[in-house]
Amino acid sequence: MGYATKEDIDELYGADLLVKIADYDRDGTPDPLVVDRGLQAADEICDAYLSAQYTIPVVPTPGVVKNCAIDIAVYKIALGRGARTDEMRTRYEDALALLEKISTGKVGLGLPPVTGTDENGDPVTTNPNVKRSGGSFDCGRA
């Protein structure tokens, strides 16, 4: 399961958009393979940024990541038809800028804390917005 679906695109932009940019065979419906390729490209881009701070895939999908994936997918799909608009490009660039901020820890994911129990049965609350533990790899020369 990816960060966004065809239905998410339809819900945000309306069903007509995908017909305009992904109906290669001109039968009045978006070509599923074209849509799937755009969504896959969006997932790969999101994962590339998110992996700098989080274990991927990020589950559940934060709304902010889903919206980035939608805008990236729409842009990638539109490139194949030459149907890209300035608004699509702006939304794509905005999505990349937001993912960059998330990857550097300047912006969190907006997820609620998760409460569970540890191996002793004690309550534990974790914050999924906190970057993963571990330091950076320093390959400085001696």
Side-chain angles (χ1 to χ4, degrees):
M1 173 109 183
Y3 294 119
T5 64
K6 175 195 175 296
E7 291 74 24
D8 292 329
I9 296 171
D10 288 344
E11 185 178 317
L12 186 61
Y13 289 111
D16 291 343
L17 176 67
L18 282 178
V19 172
K20 290 177 188 173
I21 64 174
D23 182 14
Y24 283 33
D25 60 8
R26 299 183 188 266
D27 67 353
T29 60
D31 296 353
L33 184 58
V34 174
V35 175
D36 289 345
R37 276 188 271 159
L39 290 167
Q40 179 65 37
D43 288 345
E44 291 169 0
I45 290 169
C46 288
D47 280 345
Y49 281 97
L50 295 172
S51 66
Q53 294 287 344
Y54 303 95
T55 301
I56 56 170
V58 177
V59 178
T61 300
V64 66
V65 174
K66 178 173 80 169
N67 287 334
C68 287
I70 290 169
D71 288 336
I72 292 167
V74 166
Y75 180 78
K76 292 293 188 179
I77 293 166
L79 283 175
R81 289 287 300 259
R84 185 188 73 225
T85 65
D86 288 339
E87 179 183 354
M88 287 176 193
R89 174 129 186 122
T90 299
R91 288 178 176 266
Y92 172 76
E93 290 171 350
D94 289 349
L96 294 182
L98 181 55
L99 288 169
E100 174 69 22
K101 289 177 183 175
I102 292 170
S103 77
T104 60
K106 292 179 181 174
V107 173
L109 296 176
L111 293 172
V114 177
T115 302
T117 56
D118 64 13
E119 61 276 355
N120 298 323
D122 296 325
V124 175
T125 300
T126 57
N127 185 348
N129 300 300
V130 176
K131 65 183 177 179
R132 64 182 177 197
S133 62
S136 62
F137 180 73
D138 183 4
C139 59
R141 298 181 184 196

